Amino acid sequence: MCGDPVTVFSLTISLQGGRILRIVYPICCGVDVHKTFLVATLITTQGIVPSYKKKRFSTFNKSILAFKQWLIDNNCFDVCMESTGKYYVPIYNLLEDSIRVTVANPKWVAAVKGNKDDVKDSKWIGDLFRLGLVPGSYLAP
C-alpha cells in the first residue's frame, strides 16, 4: 500500500428526512473482478453529482498494469474491489505500491437483487465506497 495519508473529502449531502451522507472519496473506482476480466467504474465527484467512466480490462499482468496507469492518469488513488474467490490477488499485488486498495467482503457490497451485470456491480461497489460505506477486509501480509 502506498505511504500517502488518506485525504478525507468533506462534502455533506442533506437528504429528505434529515439524513446526511458524507462523500469520503471524491475520486475512486469500484472494481468487479472475474477470472479472465475485470470491470472498473471510475467515479469523480464535481459538487454533488458524480460522473462515471466504465472500462473493462483483462486479468493478464499487462492489462492490469494498463488499468493501474488508467487510474493514475485519472488521478484516482482509491480503489475498492470485492474479495470473491482468489481472483483479486494479482490485481491487488500489482496495484498496492501506488494505489490504496480496499478489498471488501462480498456481504458488505452485495448488490440489490434484480437485474445484475458486471457494469452495475462495479458501479454499486464504487458508489458504496465513495460514501465510506465499505469496511475493508483484513489481509495478512
Side-chain angles (χ1 to χ4, degrees):
M1 191 177 292
C2 65
D4 297 336
V6 177
T7 302
V8 176
F9 181 73
S10 181
L11 175 65
T12 316
I13 304 169
S14 296
L15 301 174
Q16 289 179 334
R19 293 187 179 152
I20 295 176
L21 293 177
R22 192 173 115 235
I23 296 173
V24 177
Y25 302 101
I27 301 173
C28 65
C29 185
V31 182
D32 188 31
V33 181
H34 295 272
K35 183 177 182 179
T36 58
F37 67 93
L38 65 92
V39 178
T41 300
L42 181 74
I43 304 170
T44 54
T45 305
Q46 303 275 332
I48 296 175
V49 180
S51 66
Y52 301 94
K53 289 183 191 174
K54 298 167 186 76
K55 202 159 181 183
R56 182 176 163 145
F57 297 89
S58 166
T59 53
F60 290 109
N61 286 353
K62 185 176 179 181
S63 188
I64 296 170
L65 292 173
F67 169 54
K68 179 179 180 179
Q69 189 60 49
W70 180 69
L71 292 170
I72 293 168
D73 290 346
N74 284 285
N75 201 27
C76 179
F77 296 96
D78 296 293
V79 171
C80 182
M81 68 178 86
E82 224 175 344
S83 65
T84 317
K86 61 185 177 186
Y87 303 126
Y88 76 92
V89 175
I91 298 161
Y92 179 85
N93 290 339
L94 290 173
L95 294 181
E96 72 174 332
D97 65 337
S98 55
I99 307 287
R100 288 180 293 271
V101 181
T102 299
V103 179
N105 187 311
K107 79 175 189 176
W108 293 108
V109 293
V112 178
K113 292 183 181 183
N115 296 331
K116 284 184 46 153
D117 63 28
D118 304 320
V119 173
K120 287 179 184 175
D121 286 348
S122 69
K123 181 180 178 291
W124 178 254
I125 292 167
D127 280 334
L128 291 175
F129 183 62
R130 179 175 83 98
L131 298 172
L133 300 175
V134 180
S137 295
Y138 172 75
L139 299 176

